[in-house]
Amino acid sequence: ELEESDKSPVGSQARLIGRGIKRALPRLKNHNNAVVFINYPRQGISQGISFVAPTEKMAGGRAGEQFPSLMLDVHRGAKIYEGEGKDRRMIGFNMRLTTEKNKLAPEHQVVELPFIFEGGELQLERAILATALELGLIQQTGQKYECGLFPQAIRGQGGVIEFLKSDEDVMDKLTILVREFEVVAVGG
């Protein structure tokens, strides 16, 4: 069927994916599997208008939007750097995830996660720092980060992460504050 879709008219790949989803969905539900479709910009299909701007469409047309229980919109955010001066290099970037469709929880929730190229791990310190900044527990002025738990203002995000790694007591206190704040916000 895939070989035929190369020669068929516009939109046939969307119909093919839609049929595939309809066939696969019952089998996937029985085996606790998931299928991931990633959004990508492509040219919109128009009737008579030849200059349609690229829009973000999901593969499978309307069928791709109806069947999933969870749809995430993934976008690249700010770059993450390490080092100073000539030693400064990009080590990753923030990913912004938005729930476009969710049959299990509220929709349109947004979260930013660091995506680090080297090491392949999510750093707890980086996640706690991002959440504490968002909640207002840490104040940022330019490149300086200030908090009542810090002995003095710390320069740079990397400096704060290194400080949190070296001082486990401050890291534990900040983690508890973040979790208490989130419990109050969700429960209250």
Side-chain angles (χ1 to χ4, degrees):
E1 285 185 61
L2 289 175
E3 292 173 5
E4 294 172 13
S5 68
D6 290 338
K7 299 172 186 171
S8 56
V10 176
S12 62
Q13 279 130 354
R15 287 189 289 276
L16 181 65
I17 291 173
R19 278 185 282 168
I21 291 172
K22 288 177 188 176
R23 289 180 191 167
L25 197 63
R27 292 183 181 127
L28 292 171
K29 283 184 177 179
N30 293 338
H31 299 290
N32 291 330
N33 289 326
V35 176
V36 177
F37 288 94
I38 299 175
N39 58 311
Y40 62 96
R42 67 173 174 86
Q43 196 73 19
I45 300 169
S46 62
Q47 300 291 331
I49 302 172
S50 61
F51 57 91
V52 177
T55 56
E56 291 195 7
K57 300 288 184 183
M58 192 166 70
R62 291 192 178 147
E65 296 173 1
Q66 292 173 353
F67 288 106
S69 298
L70 177 67
M71 282 176 46
L72 296 176
D73 189 24
V74 182
H75 284 282
R76 182 176 174 166
K79 296 176 182 176
I80 300 172
Y81 292 97
E82 183 178 70
E84 297 288 329
K86 291 182 179 180
D87 295 333
R88 187 175 181 197
R89 61 191 177 96
M90 189 175 95
I91 61 166
F93 55 86
N94 287 325
M95 288 190 323
R96 186 178 186 90
L97 300 170
T98 307
T99 55
E100 293 297 322
K101 178 179 180 180
N102 195 346
K103 293 181 180 177
L104 308 172
E107 294 179 355
H108 306 295
Q109 301 294 315
V110 179
V111 66
E112 280 202 27
L113 299 170
F115 183 79
I116 308 298
F117 303 138
E118 297 175 7
E121 63 197 37
L122 290 175
Q123 295 176 334
L124 178 62
E125 295 83 9
R126 191 176 299 277
I128 292 293
L129 172 61
T131 307
L133 280 168
E134 188 177 312
L135 297 175
L137 299 173
I138 296 177
Q139 291 75 35
Q140 179 183 3
T141 309
Q143 285 291 316
K144 292 188 178 182
Y145 293 83
E146 296 179 293
C147 177
L149 298 172
F150 299 166
Q152 61 187 16
I154 300 174
R155 181 167 164 69
Q157 190 178 37
V160 176
I161 291 168
E162 289 302 318
F163 174 74
L164 292 175
K165 283 182 181 179
S166 65
D167 195 337
E168 291 181 17
D169 187 39
V170 173
M171 178 64 184
D172 292 340
K173 287 178 183 177
L174 192 59
T175 304
I176 290 169
L177 284 172
V178 166
R179 288 185 178 158
E180 284 178 358
F181 197 98
E182 288 179 340
V183 167
V184 169
V186 171

